[in-house]
Amino acid sequence: MPGSSASAAVEVSGLVKRYGAKPAVDGASFSAAAGAVTAVLGLNGAGKTSTIECCEGLRRPDGGTVRVLGRDPIADGAWLRPRVGVMLQDGGMPQAARAGDVLDLAAAMYARPLERKELVATLDLGSRLRTPVRRLSGGERQRLALAVALVGRPDVAFLDEPTAGLDPQARLVVWELIAQLRRSGVAVVLTTHLLDEAERLADHVVLMAAGRVVAAGTPGELTGGSDRTLSFDGPAGLDLAPLAPLLSAGIAATEVRPGHYVIANRTPEAHLLPGDVAATTAWCARLGIMPEGLVLGRRSLEDVFLEIAARQSGATQVIGVVGA
Ligand SMILES: Nc1ncnc2c1ncn2[C@@H]1O[C@H](COP(=O)(O)OP(=O)(O)OP(=O)(O)O)[C@@H](O)[C@H]1O
């Protein structure tokens, strides 16, 4: 359980971070275990980077506590630095320095750095080592930043959008690298906008909205495992109120993005029934709407994410297994 696990490599408890009057992080709590990948998800501005930067010791919390390997990221920064790998969203690397020098400099700060040759080959940076950082492509810079974060064999790796801007092949390489880190016992905490990435890589997903953790759990817990959903495309902005009373208790219809409708359970106890499918298609027929791409399937992490995002205009709502 977040906040109580003795083995958690990262514990965030009631974290508050303000830049002005409005908190960017507003009481967020979660934990990340060793040998596991924890993915922090959320819309732009949800507070992910601010949270991670507090964990990295780059920002001072205004409230709550953060512990990394049991230590305070700011007060115990010197102790933590050799044990924590950090990949920042903007790279944070000197622009004029050559890629190889940046990597060597990072390696020199650690007692037992990884073999440069191996890391460079894995991340396909061999031909770019003499190139200044500012002349690297976005994807090359991204791979160099990842190499810098990992060269010191960290116990905890914070990776802010590690695959943003990478081509599909490079993305697969990074996914495999992250899987290797997990296997070797590293606590990997990453942020991503790619729901398939989170679904594929993460052991634990933390969903943030408006500075708070609104859902957390394994991908299976968040998606309800085997819960069925019905989805279809139709005209944007359909009035769903008349459909609501036709559905069974605990089942709701949501326009998760314009023109894309999902009929799914709102509570773990409720299950989509054949009658809900019939009611939905009959309702479409009455409106003269063809439910294009009608799919009876399982809820994906993307569905959960979109459902929560769609509700963000109202109060933050808890879905899934908070505290799992
Ligand atoms: N240095 C700063 N000064 C003022 N406001 C900031 C600063 N950094 C972030 N914010 C604000 O805090 C809020 C949370 O930002 P943060 O970068 O933590 O979110 P995020 O979830 O990482 O977003 P994204 O997905 O866009 O990276 C946003 O409203 C942002 O504008």
Side-chain angles (χ1 to χ4, degrees):
M1 292 281 288
S4 63
S5 168
S7 67
V10 180
E11 291 268 10
V12 173
S13 181
L15 176 66
V16 176
K17 178 66 207 169
R18 287 188 201 94
Y19 299 107
K22 193 172 158 272
V25 183
D26 192 12
S29 302
F30 68 91
S31 64
V37 176
T38 300
V40 182
L41 310 179
L43 295 176
N44 289 135
K48 307 179 295 293
T49 298
S50 302
T51 299
I52 300 295
E53 287 180 348
C54 287
C55 296
E56 293 163 347
L58 297 174
R59 294 200 185 274
R60 191 176 290 280
D62 294 308
T65 55
V66 175
R67 291 288 176 269
V68 176
L69 300 173
R71 307 287 183 114
D72 181 317
I74 292 182
D76 302 318
W79 187 88
L80 283 170
R81 224 155 283 133
R83 296 170 171 85
V84 173
V86 171
M87 180 186 180
L88 300 174
Q89 216 174 76
D90 61 6
M93 297 176 293
Q95 295 296 303
R98 290 177 178 173
D101 294 340
V102 170
L103 191 52
D104 287 344
L105 196 68
M109 298 191 322
Y110 298 98
R112 281 184 321 120
L114 286 174
E115 272 292 318
R116 166 171 141 165
K117 223 159 106 188
E118 200 181 314
L119 195 56
V120 161
T122 306
L123 288 167
D124 194 21
L125 286 165
S127 64
R128 314 306 290 156
L129 293 177
R130 299 179 62 79
T131 307
V133 169
R134 68 165 177 277
R135 293 224 195 100
L136 296 175
S137 75
E140 289 163 353
R141 212 171 300 154
Q142 192 82 345
R143 283 181 273 136
L144 178 61
L146 187 56
V148 166
L150 303 184
V151 71
R153 299 179 201 263
D155 295 323
V156 181
F158 292 107
L159 312 176
D160 205 351
E161 297 192 35
T163 61
L166 293 188
D167 62 46
Q169 194 188 353
R171 178 167 298 155
L172 282 179
V173 169
V174 170
W175 284 356
E176 177 48 31
L177 200 59
I178 290 171
Q180 273 175 29
L181 290 172
R182 176 219 267 130
R183 285 196 293 274
S184 61
V186 177
V188 181
V189 180
L190 58 87
T191 69
T192 181
H193 285 286
L194 304 169
L195 282 304
D196 61 331
E197 178 163 293
E199 201 148 17
R200 181 161 172 166
L201 283 183
D203 301 288
H204 188 66
V205 171
V206 175
L207 193 45
M208 289 189 73
R212 296 194 177 161
V213 175
V214 291
T218 65
E221 285 167 341
L222 285 179
T223 56
S226 58
D227 283 351
R228 286 199 180 88
T229 67
L230 185 69
S231 63
F232 65 92
D233 294 309
L238 287 177
D239 177 13
L240 297 170
L243 176 58
L246 308 175
L247 300 173
S248 26
I251 302 295
T254 314
E255 185 175 14
V256 295
R257 56 183 151 77
H260 187 68
Y261 298 88
V262 175
I263 322 297
N265 58 325
R266 279 272 174 97
T267 59
E269 303 77 42
H271 300 288
L272 193 81
L273 300 173
D276 297 311
V277 180
T280 303
T281 52
W283 176 76
C284 286
R286 274 200 298 283
L287 292 176
I289 291 166
M290 184 61 83
E292 299 287 350
L294 185 77
V295 174
L296 182 61
R298 311 275 177 206
R299 196 188 242 132
S300 68
L301 205 50
E302 183 165 9
D303 293 333
V304 174
F305 183 85
L306 290 172
E307 282 168 33
I308 290 180
R311 285 179 209 150
Q312 276 312 299
S313 43
T316 50
Q317 177 160 352
V318 172
I319 292 188
V321 194
V322 170

